[in-house]
Structure formats: C-alpha cells, structure tokens
Amino acid sequence: MSTEQTFIAVKPDGVQRGLVGEIIGRFERRGYKLAAIKLVTPSKEHLEKHYEDLKGKPFFPGLISYMASGPVCAMVWEGREACKVGRQLLGATNPMASQPGTIRGDFAIDVGRNVCHGSDGVDSAKKEIDLWFKKEEINSWKKADESWVYEN
Ligand code: DAT
Ligand code: MG
C-alpha cells in the first residue's frame, strides 16, 4: 500500500469562518489518519518559502498578506494516495470551477479566499511538512479502524 503524507492547511478565511471542524471531518470521514495538527500564525518569510514557486505572480503580495493575516490550521494527513485524494477533497484552485461536494465547491467563491491548502504531490508534501512541522510534532500511530478502511 502506497501510504503518503500530505500537508493540508485551513487558511485564515477558513479559520475565521468556522470551517476547521468541517474540513477535518471530511478527511476523517474519508478514512485518512491525522498525523499532526497545530494552529499557527505564519510569518511573511515563512509564507514566501511555502509559496516560493509563485514568486513573481501578480497575486503573490496579496496571497502572502492574506495567509499571514491570522491563524492557519496546519495539518498532516496520512493514507493511500493522500496527496492526490487530498486535492480532490479540496476541489479546483478557483472555487468557481470547483465541483459541489468538494470543500472549495461547497464553501468558497473567490480564488483569493479559497479556504484551504493541499500539497500538489509527494515531493511538495515532503517539502511543506518539513517547513511547517518539527519531526517530533508528527505522530506515528496505528488507527483502530485501519482494517475496516483498507482491504489490503
Ligand atoms: P493550489 O492552492 O490549488 O495549489 P496554486 O498553488 O496554483 O493553487 O496557488 C496557490 C494559491 O494562490 C491558491 O490557492 C490561491 C492563490 N491563487 C492562485 N492563482 C490565483 C489567481 N489567479 N488570482 C489570485 N489568487 C490566486
Ligand atoms: Mg499549490
């Protein structure tokens, strides 16, 4: 089984709008395992590293100040193809294109207020988890319902 870890964050708008529980619930109900969680107000320097690939985009300064504007709920979720399925649970980057039933498709309208972040692949997940969490903050544990979620 290809168990992966993905970095998922509820952005400041999601925290302000009371969507932390809703977003955690969607990952829990799907069967994923929570490996780390914390509420953190990131610095601009930290966010510039997190979004370094987008440096130079016209929306970059606005993205950084929005993400630094309040607490973010940072999490690591674990399970089969967690990166790919995590992105499916989030929905398309622009909520106007997100399917109903996805987090963004149910709770967002504007691309600049799209409620949540999810790693776009295994390599970026590793990088993001390293940036947001210390090793000792990541929990390794056996979830009691594992054999009811996975056949193999
Ligand atoms: P995603 O968050 O789906 O991985 P991304 O990495 O391309 O998308 O961009 C990071 C964030 O930047 C995205 O969640 C919202 C913001 N963003 C992306 N494109 C944008 C645009 N055209 N206008 C405003 N904000 C944008
Ligand atoms: Mg991205």
Side-chain angles (χ1 to χ4, degrees), residues 11 51 54 59 63 87 92-93 104 111-112 114 116-118 120:
K11 294 179 176 181
Y51 280 129
L54 299 173
F59 57 83
L63 172 64
R87 297 279 292 188
T93 301
R104 288 163 173 165
V111 68
N114 66 0
C116 49
H117 167 85
D120 64 13

Side-chain angles (χ1 to χ4, degrees), residues 100-150:
T102 65
I103 294 163
R104 288 163 173 165
D106 287 348
F107 301 112
I109 294 173
D110 195 339
V111 68
R113 296 289 183 271
N114 66 0
V115 167
C116 49
H117 167 85
S119 307
D120 64 13
V122 178
D123 293 342
S124 55
K126 285 203 173 84
K127 210 182 105 201
E128 290 169 1
I129 292 167
D130 272 2
L131 178 65
W132 288 80
F133 287 97
K134 297 182 192 126
K135 268 206 164 57
E136 60 269 26
E137 292 176 316
I138 315 280
N139 296 269
S140 177
W141 59 291
K142 187 165 168 56
K143 197 158 178 283
D145 65 3
E146 217 159 75
S147 62
W148 299 103
V149 173
Y150 300 101

Side-chain angles (χ1 to χ4, degrees), residues 78-95:
E78 188 176 308
R80 187 178 295 164
E81 298 200 42
C83 297
K84 188 182 92 183
V85 179
R87 297 279 292 188
Q88 290 170 352
L89 291 172
L90 264 50
T93 301
N94 188 336

Side-chain angles (χ1 to χ4, degrees), residues 15-101:
V15 174
Q16 292 287 353
R17 293 176 59 199
L19 295 172
V20 170
E22 173 70 37
I23 292 169
I24 289 174
R26 288 178 181 228
F27 281 82
E28 275 188 334
R29 292 199 300 264
R30 186 65 185 262
Y32 286 101
K33 178 167 76 177
L34 185 60
I37 184 166
K38 64 180 171 188
L39 201 66
V40 53
T41 304
S43 69
K44 292 201 173 185
E45 295 69 36
H46 179 93
L47 291 163
E48 280 165 10
K49 275 188 214 149
H50 174 77
Y51 280 129
E52 67 182 359
D53 294 352
L54 299 173
K55 221 174 189 149
K57 298 276 186 196
F59 57 83
F60 188 76
L63 172 64
I64 299 300
S65 51
Y66 149 60
M67 288 293 294
S69 66
V72 165
C73 183
M75 299 177 272
V76 176
W77 285 92
E78 188 176 308
R80 187 178 295 164
E81 298 200 42
C83 297
K84 188 182 92 183
V85 179
R87 297 279 292 188
Q88 290 170 352
L89 291 172
L90 264 50
T93 301
N94 188 336
M96 297 306 283
S98 303
Q99 293 299 311

